[in-house]
Amino acid sequence: MTHPADAAAVVDLLADRALAGPRRLGPVRLVCIDGPAGSGKTTTAGRLAARVGERGPTAAVLHLDDLYAGWRGLEGSLWPRLSAQVLEPLRRGRPGRYQRFDWPADRFDDWVDLPVPDVLVLEGCGSARRAADAVATLRVWVEGPRDLRLRRGLERDGEAARPHWLTWMADEEAHFAREGTRGRADVRLDAFGMMTA
């Protein structure tokens, strides 16, 4: 496959693949955008959803940051809650409804309704775990150098979050090794939205 020459062309390619792929989550095409924290997943997810929407189908982005139970939330109840609150209802053609985590208050708070989209972009560390394989139309891996990712994270969250970031980075590294996430991805991108090998 020839790699597109710029990030906009990559987003076009992702939209093409998402819309041409099978619906595996009931009426929904699920795109999982995974990779280490600070790599550019949120940016890619937003661009992809916008591009899909420009073509006519409805698209929604669900950020796993809203579902983690804080800094230790990569594992544990994350996937069972996501499945029960969002994936299973969507599979049945019904809206999802999930409880959003309030990071400053360190607790789950308000409920968010998720209407049934044509394409759901699930973005966040752990979104393309093996449990998603049966329902994912497309799995995208986004990666970047560790120092760049940490710098991006601390710019967003502040220097006081450094211990949390370092612990999270160790947790995600173990998760990705166990899940083989990068190797199972359909498309791989760098931290600037360009395709890699």
Side-chain angles (χ1 to χ4, degrees), residues 74-155:
L74 182 57
E75 303 298 347
S77 67
L78 170 65
W79 201 261
R81 278 185 294 103
L82 174 67
S83 295
Q85 296 176 358
V86 175
L87 301 182
E88 184 56 25
L90 292 180
R91 186 188 66 75
R92 296 190 321 257
R94 297 182 177 170
R97 188 166 193 257
Y98 62 91
Q99 195 170 17
R100 187 185 60 80
F101 190 78
D102 182 332
W103 287 76
D106 195 31
R107 62 177 163 73
F108 285 97
D109 196 0
D110 57 325
W111 287 86
V112 179
D113 293 324
L114 179 67
V116 181
D118 295 312
V119 175
L120 175 62
V121 181
L122 181 63
E123 174 276 320
C125 300
S127 65
R129 64 186 68 212
R130 292 180 195 279
D133 286 352
V135 294
T137 299
L138 183 65
R139 296 164 302 185
V140 179
W141 171 261
V142 185
E143 62 190 349
R146 180 182 174 87
D147 59 339
L148 172 65
R149 294 186 289 107
L150 181 60
R151 185 172 70 245
R152 285 176 173 178
L154 296 180
E155 285 171 0

Side-chain angles (χ1 to χ4, degrees), residues 34-35 126-130 139-141 172 175-186 188:
D34 207 334
S127 65
R129 64 186 68 212
R130 292 180 195 279
R139 296 164 302 185
V140 179
W141 171 261
E172 70 185 7
H175 170 87
F176 295 138
R178 184 177 61 254
E179 294 285 332
T181 314
R182 186 185 194 281
R184 293 175 23 262
D186 303 301
R188 296 181 193 97

